[in-house]
């Protein structure tokens, strides 16, 4: 059973950058899709970015042009490069994996990491 462990969160000033990592116990090409979600207090969990096994990516409109999802199969790691961070990006960020679909709906995903906190001050 795949295990996911996020890291790389922290506190940054608006306009700064962070790179989140998600280390997996299996190679990403063995999964149909990997994705990043985020959840701020009092809000619904939101899909941020996804990466299919076919290398097709998709992003939420709110992060398009600022965030980049990628993977390193040799390291069994998924990344989220976050640039030009805004205060509204503050949230707990989670990586997730699914074996049969590639949407950005939380209910689709089978495996979740524990989350890593991102805090952006303005």
């Amino acid at each position: 059973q795949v295990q996911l462990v996020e890291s790389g969160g922290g506190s940054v000033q608006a306009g700064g950058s962070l790179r989140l990592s998600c280390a997996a116990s299996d190679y990403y090409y063995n999964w149909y899709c990997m994705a990043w979600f985020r959840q701020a207090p009092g809000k619904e969990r939101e899909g941020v970015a996804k990466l299919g096994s076919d290398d097709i990516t998709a992003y939420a409109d709110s992060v398009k042009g600022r965030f980049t999802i990628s993977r390193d199969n040799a390291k069994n790691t998924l990344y989220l490069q976050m640039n030009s961070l805004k205060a509204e990006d503050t949230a707990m960020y989670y990586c997730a994996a699914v074996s049969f679909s590639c949407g950005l709906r939380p209910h689709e995903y089978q495996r979740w990491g524990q989350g890593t906190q991102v805090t952006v001050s303005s």
Side-chain angles (χ1 to χ4, degrees), residues 2-6 20-36 51-55 69-80 95-99:
V2 67
Q3 294 180 321
L4 306 175
V5 180
E6 301 99 332
L20 306 184
S21 298
C22 175
S25 62
D26 200 2
Y27 293 105
Y28 287 93
Y29 53 74
N30 290 328
W31 293 89
Y32 195 82
C33 199
M34 300 287 291
W36 288 95
L51 175 61
S53 60
D54 56 4
D55 293 325
I69 188 170
S70 63
R71 61 172 168 249
D72 185 337
N73 288 335
K75 297 181 178 180
N76 295 351
T77 301
L78 182 75
Y79 299 102
L80 184 68
C95 66
V98 64
S99 62

Side-chain angles (χ1 to χ4, degrees), residues 53-119:
S53 60
D54 56 4
D55 293 325
I56 294 175
T57 61
Y59 299 89
D61 288 341
S62 59
V63 307
K64 197 171 299 180
R66 299 188 297 120
F67 291 11
T68 303
I69 188 170
S70 63
R71 61 172 168 249
D72 185 337
N73 288 335
K75 297 181 178 180
N76 295 351
T77 301
L78 182 75
Y79 299 102
L80 184 68
Q81 179 66 46
M82 305 185 295
N83 298 326
S84 301
L85 283 162
K86 304 174 181 180
E88 50 263 47
D89 295 318
T90 296
M92 184 73 75
Y93 283 71
Y94 301 89
C95 66
V98 64
S99 62
F100 60 89
S101 64
C102 197
L104 272 177
R105 300 182 294 273
H107 75 268
E108 296 180 50
Y109 286 79
Q110 300 165 299
R111 299 286 179 260
W112 294 83
Q114 83 289 346
T116 185
Q117 179 68 38
V118 172
T119 302

